[in-house]
Amino acid sequence: MNMARRLATALLLGSALASPAIAADIQQPISSWTGWHAGAGVGYGMVNHEIDLDVNALGGINAEFSGIGGEGGLATIEAGYDHEVGSNYLIGAQVDYTYSGISTDISGFVGPASASYQLEASNSISAIVRGGRLVNGHTLLYSLAGWTHTWWNADASLSLGGPPLGLSYDYETNGLTLGGGIESVVGNNTTLKLEYRYTMNEPETIFAIPGLVDLEENANVHTMRAVLSYRPGMVAKEMDGSEERWSGLRAGLGGGYSMVNHVLEASAAPVIGAELSGIGGEGFFGTVEVGYDMLLGERFVAGLQADYSMSTASTDLSGAAVIGSLSYELEATHNASILARAGYLSSPDVLWYGIAGYTHTWFNGELGVQPIGFNASYDFDEGGLTVGAGVEVMLNDSWSWKSEYRYTSLDDVNIVSFGPFSLDTATNIQQVRSVLTYRF
């Protein structure tokens, strides 16, 4: 993935999450968004390490791998200052610190010998600017941009049957962060936000022999976080009867970005075993959905929905040498989901909700080997559990906008089974999506 594509990725999602195109009937805000704020939150993310290998010996070898994946949770604290511009717009800046468990893990054994390796994005700091539009004074739809500095920690160990030998090292990266989110008043002096970030780290040389070998990687980090903030001057909005709009049929159109992590496990029991936490990939998707919601009491909403998505999320491998070339692509081409959701209205216009259900995903693989002219393709599909959370904002009586995070854990698939040898994969997909919805 080149820099232009990564920039387009995050700009598209950031602007989508903050799109004010349908917002109408903007009222004078009753809360003051100008001032300082401080917050804490949690989230989840995936990393995709893109690998580029150049070898000048043996006639020249070049290989690119889109990447080595990993995932994990995070916790964050932040502080910042915002300023209202007119009655409907806001600009601001913030700094934050994030502690992360996002890691790539490799382990294996052959007889009495064993080895393991872990590369973790242990913590990071970010300086962020953001701008957005206020909806009814209580909710902010915004885009963000900034800089992130990340500390990485690697640990490796090797045992030949005796005491393990250990090696650890650290390095740091800088990268551009883009994204967007929705923040809304949930109580006096309190706001809650759901925010997406995509960080494109600068390339890092991890091994080099000058004039002979150069191994370079760059890590793209994709996170979703929920942050509860203290903001003096905020006034909660009372229920006024307009929450009845949440009951009824709805249909939506949207899109987003996803990361795919294929966790591999190989074994030839009881002699050999290995696990890789995964093979990564990423890409855009577009989606359509239809659903029905029902207001329960004054503040609770429950509903069902079905959706279908077309995706470009793929893992890519290519290599070339004097003897020929090889290419491989595994793409999650499309998926369908059936989901239930339940949520709480923090105001008549804003629904915070959780989702759970089933997703079925179709994959396509393409392999090419030259100069022998070998080309092959295959398809497979698998289903699994999807869970997630989101926030949806009423823009007027007919239209709403939502930002949603999903994590899908697909069933295990056996790729190879030959005698005692077995190779299995379990695929996890993380998505962030924005959907514009019409309510009938």
Side-chain angles (χ1 to χ4, degrees):
M1 176 183 289
N2 56 34
M3 178 61 74
R5 183 181 173 192
R6 296 199 299 271
L7 285 170
T9 296
L11 285 172
L12 172 65
L13 288 170
S15 61
L17 285 165
S19 174
I22 308 299
D25 302 324
I26 300 298
Q27 303 171 2
Q28 292 296 318
I30 62 173
S31 295
S32 174
W33 287 78
T34 294
W36 65 273
H37 60 90
V42 295
Y44 200 79
M46 285 188 176
V47 62
N48 191 37
H49 298 277
E50 298 179 356
I51 306 297
D52 191 346
L53 172 66
D54 287 299
V55 180
N56 293 324
L58 304 175
I61 299 173
N62 174 261
E64 295 181 359
F65 185 30
S66 76
I68 304 297
E71 55 190 283
L74 62 90
T76 186
I77 54 174
E78 63 178 46
Y81 186 89
D82 291 323
H83 182 75
E84 291 182 44
V85 180
S87 60
N88 299 331
Y89 297 93
L90 179 141
I91 58 174
Q94 73 174 56
V95 294
D96 54 67
Y97 169 81
T98 300
Y99 177 80
S100 166
I102 300 173
S103 67
T104 298
D105 302 273
I106 304 171
S107 62
F109 68 88
V110 177
S114 63
S116 66
Y117 176 78
Q118 180 186 64
L119 177 60
E120 184 176 57
S122 57
N123 50 87
S124 65
I125 56 172
S126 298
I128 300 292
V129 294
R130 68 174 183 170
R133 184 165 184 170
L134 294 166
V135 180
N136 295 325
H138 290 81
T139 302
L140 173 69
L141 284 72
Y142 64 91
S143 296
L144 64 85
W147 168 90
T148 296
H149 187 87
T150 304
W151 285 265
W152 301 84
N153 174 259
D155 288 293
S157 69
L158 173 66
S159 172
L160 299 178
L165 301 174
L167 170 68
S168 65
Y169 62 93
D170 304 303
Y171 66 94
E172 303 169 20
T173 59
N174 294 299
L176 175 67
T177 295
L178 297 172
I182 298 175
E183 183 172 4
S184 186
V185 180
V186 295
N188 292 337
N189 302 319
T190 307
T191 64
L192 179 64
K193 69 180 178 183
L194 189 66
E195 182 177 282
Y196 165 76
R197 295 187 184 183
Y198 186 88
T199 298
M200 299 158 284
N201 289 291
E202 298 171 349
E204 177 78 15
T205 298
I206 56 178
F207 180 76
I209 300 176
L212 184 61
V213 178
D214 185 80
L215 179 61
E216 188 177 87
E217 73 98 20
N218 67 290
N220 304 321
V221 182
H222 167 102
T223 62
M224 202 72 176
R225 59 192 67 199
V227 179
L228 187 68
S229 296
Y230 175 76
R231 303 180 65 103
M234 291 297 166
V235 180
K237 187 175 182 180
E238 298 296 330
M239 308 304 281
D240 57 13
S242 62
E243 60 270 15
E244 295 291 341
R245 296 175 295 175
W246 291 96
S247 289
L249 183 68
R250 58 183 168 87
L253 177 68
Y257 202 69
S258 64
M259 278 194 172
V260 181
N261 191 35
H262 303 280
V263 179
L264 300 179
E265 184 174 353
S267 66
V271 180
I272 298 173
E275 185 171 332
L276 172 61
S277 75
I279 305 298
E282 52 192 297
F284 295 99
F285 66 89
T287 188
V288 293
E289 65 178 45
V290 61
Y292 186 88
D293 291 322
M294 180 177 294
L295 180 66
L296 304 175
E298 187 179 58
R299 289 186 178 267
F300 294 93
V301 175
L304 296 171
Q305 77 172 55
D307 55 66
Y308 175 81
S309 301
M310 294 289 294
S311 170
T312 64
S314 66
T315 299
D316 301 276
L317 171 66
S318 63
V322 67
I323 59 173
S325 63
L326 177 144
S327 64
Y328 177 73
E329 178 185 50
L330 179 60
E331 184 175 38
T333 57
H334 57 288
N335 66 72
S337 299
I338 299 176
L339 302 166
R341 75 169 183 170
Y344 177 82
L345 294 170
S346 60
S347 76
D349 307 310
V350 180
L351 174 68
W352 300 88
Y353 63 90
I355 56 172
Y358 173 83
T359 295
H360 201 90
T361 302
W362 287 262
F363 293 88
N364 175 255
E366 301 280 348
L367 174 66
V369 182
Q370 304 301 329
I372 64 174
F374 176 81
N375 294 284
S377 64
Y378 63 96
D379 303 298
F380 67 94
D381 57 276
E382 52 185 319
L385 175 66
T386 293
V387 295
V391 54
E392 186 169 359
V393 180
M394 283 289 187
L395 303 173
N396 57 33
D397 287 340
S398 299
W399 295 92
S400 65
W401 187 271
K402 70 179 179 182
S403 173
E404 184 176 283
Y405 167 81
R406 294 185 185 182
Y407 185 90
T408 299
S409 178
L410 297 172
D411 297 334
D412 292 357
V413 172
N414 180 256
I415 300 175
V416 178
S417 181
F418 182 75
F421 180 78
S422 177
L423 177 62
D424 300 302
T425 180
T427 300
N428 303 320
I429 301 176
Q430 181 178 237
Q431 292 185 333
V432 59
R433 55 181 60 208
S434 288
V435 178
L436 180 65
T437 299
Y438 181 79
R439 295 180 170 273
F440 296 93

